[in-house]
Amino acid sequence: MTLRFHAPYMEWAKTRPAARFDLAISNVLACTLEDLPGAATALELTGRNDNGYAPLLEAIGRRYRMPASQVTTAQGASGANFLVCAALLSPGDDVLVERPGYDPLMGAPRLLGANTVRYDRTFDDRFALDPARIAAAMTPRTKLIVVTSPHNPTGALASQSALLEVGRLADAQRAHVLVDEVYLDTISGEVPTAALNGDTFIVTSSLTKSYGLAALRCGWVLSSTDVAARLRRARDVIDGTGSIVAERLGVLAFEHLEALTARARALLATNSAIVNAFLAGRPELEYVTPEGGTVVFPRIKGVADTSRFAERLLAEHDTAIVPGRFFDAPSHFRLGFSGPTEVLTEGLTRVARAVDELQTRARC
């Protein structure tokens, strides 16, 4: 049975075989209790978090220099994105979603009866956000424009000028711009959140991808106070409240955010250098260097669909990547570099071997 709200990538990610060298991941290497001092003593099973645990709302607000009234907590970034769709969309509304793109961002609107309309971020433009493509895709029913920055699956960062122009397009139609910034904190230096661009913008993020704290499912939405009120009422009928245990640990994470950031960025700096050197030495692989995030999205010259390549890589070399078909770009594959460095290094060696074998078969 084909479901209107099917998310093929998420189903594949949850059911695929395990690999010894897993380059299909996108989360920063998971923290241990030692990475979060005080975690054991912070655990308590009670607390008031009807509309979010107040200390967590305040900690997130301080992080973004926004009042807690403009923060809504959610179950991870995916939960935050769904909450936005549930609060703002009605059946028949149109939602603009990028291509290539992360399929839960299409599944959520469809589940709620909205329509998804695609706009392209192209290899030739280095996957930049192009407001002209968004303008061309807009319809009279457009209520939400969805952007990921850094882009999932390419790591391209949306420029401030492009975001502001998209905001003007949305504002003229009384629509909103949802910017998923779950990978933004992987970038060194100060990159402002799109939430500061005005009430047209809604930003989602979490402690999941950039900090190695996926188990907490600590996500949030930054929005105007009016939208925040709608988000909280929508949450009443979705999951009510979050886990007080996770939200207490989320507060602790924000207290140690500087150390967690340094840990993640050190790992990513090492691993991204290895990936970039590897790709630069493989002329048969074409790619755009990621500006942020934990993944890269190369393509193999002359290969229209990498699905079979990914299957052979797993079966013959015990190494996992994500076929590009799950992002509507079948000639590409997504490769994660946020795990242990030794796993990445050996995994890339096996990718190279598989590419060499593919080239040999093509010549025969």
Side-chain angles (χ1 to χ4, degrees), residues 142-153:
T142 300
K143 290 294 186 294
L144 190 65
I145 301 167
V146 181
V147 178
T148 58
S149 184
H151 181 217
N152 184 5

Side-chain angles (χ1 to χ4, degrees), residues 325-341:
R325 73 177 189 273
F326 290 118
F327 305 94
D328 292 317
S331 64
H332 292 255
F333 61 89
R334 197 184 75 174
L335 186 151
F337 52 85
S338 55
T341 300

Side-chain angles (χ1 to χ4, degrees), residues 268-305:
L268 293 174
T270 297
N271 288 2
S272 63
I274 292 170
V275 168
N276 288 334
F278 167 78
L279 292 172
R282 303 295 310 199
E284 66 274 29
L285 298 180
E286 299 177 312
Y287 71 106
V288 172
T289 303
E291 296 173 275
T294 62
V295 296
V296 65
F297 202 52
R299 65 187 184 189
I300 307 173
K301 289 181 181 179
V303 175
D305 189 335

Side-chain angles (χ1 to χ4, degrees), residues 316-327:
E316 299 172 11
H317 299 282
D318 208 4
T319 300
I321 56 174
V322 186
R325 73 177 189 273
F326 290 118
F327 305 94

Side-chain angles (χ1 to χ4, degrees), residues 6-25:
H6 190 213
Y9 166 68
M10 289 304 298
E11 181 178 354
W12 175 85
K14 292 177 178 180
T15 59
R16 66 181 174 89
R20 182 180 175 192
F21 302 98
D22 194 347
L23 307 185
I25 61 171

Side-chain angles (χ1 to χ4, degrees), residues 38-307:
T41 57
L43 290 175
E44 285 191 39
L45 300 180
T46 60
R48 187 73 181 267
N49 67 334
D50 295 339
N51 283 315
Y53 187 44
L56 180 58
L57 295 172
E58 291 163 2
I60 296 169
R62 284 193 299 273
R63 164 70 178 79
Y64 292 98
R65 302 181 181 90
M66 300 178 68
S69 61
Q70 293 182 241
V71 179
T72 307
T73 52
Q75 297 291 326
S78 291
N81 290 329
F82 182 81
L83 194 58
V84 172
C85 292
L88 298 184
L89 298 179
S90 299
D93 287 344
D94 285 345
V95 180
L96 272 56
V97 185
E98 59 202 6
R99 180 174 50 213
Y102 181 57
D103 68 7
L105 293 171
M106 291 165 279
R110 290 170 181 164
L111 177 61
L112 296 161
N115 308 305
T116 53
V117 179
R118 310 304 298 277
Y119 67 91
D120 290 315
R121 299 178 68 161
T122 68
F123 183 90
D124 288 345
D125 289 336
R126 303 186 65 80
F127 299 108
L129 180 67
D130 184 349
R133 293 181 183 273
I134 291 175
M138 290 186 74
T139 77
R141 298 183 302 275
T142 300
K143 290 294 186 294
L144 190 65
I145 301 167
V146 181
V147 178
T148 58
S149 184
H151 181 217
N152 184 5
T154 72
L157 188 65
S159 71
Q160 177 71 347
S161 60
L163 285 171
L164 290 174
E165 179 58 27
V166 172
R168 284 190 284 271
L169 292 169
D171 196 46
Q173 197 162 306
R174 301 182 66 183
H176 285 90
V177 183
L178 169 60
V179 185
D180 181 328
E181 294 182 347
V182 74
Y183 293 105
L184 189 64
D185 290 348
T186 61
I187 299 176
S188 298
E190 190 69 26
V191 181
T193 174
L196 301 177
N197 290 342
D199 290 351
T200 300
F201 287 84
I202 301 168
V203 163
T204 55
S205 191
S206 78
L207 294 175
T208 300
K209 299 294 186 182
S210 299
Y211 297 102
L213 292 170
L216 293 186
R217 306 305 303 153
C218 181
W220 55 86
V221 185
L222 308 176
S223 69
S224 69
T225 53
D226 288 344
V227 169
R230 296 175 66 177
L231 293 168
R232 291 167 185 166
R233 298 294 68 80
R235 192 172 194 188
D236 289 343
V237 296
I238 295 173
D239 61 357
T241 66
S243 162
I244 187 61
V245 175
E247 292 193 357
R248 286 184 182 279
L249 289 174
V251 174
L252 184 64
F254 274 93
E255 292 174 1
H256 296 280
L257 205 61
E258 186 174 338
L260 293 171
T261 299
R263 170 189 179 271
R265 289 181 181 173
L267 174 68
L268 293 174
T270 297
N271 288 2
S272 63
I274 292 170
V275 168
N276 288 334
F278 167 78
L279 292 172
R282 303 295 310 199
E284 66 274 29
L285 298 180
E286 299 177 312
Y287 71 106
V288 172
T289 303
E291 296 173 275
T294 62
V295 296
V296 65
F297 202 52
R299 65 187 184 189
I300 307 173
K301 289 181 181 179
V303 175
D305 189 335
T306 60
S307 297

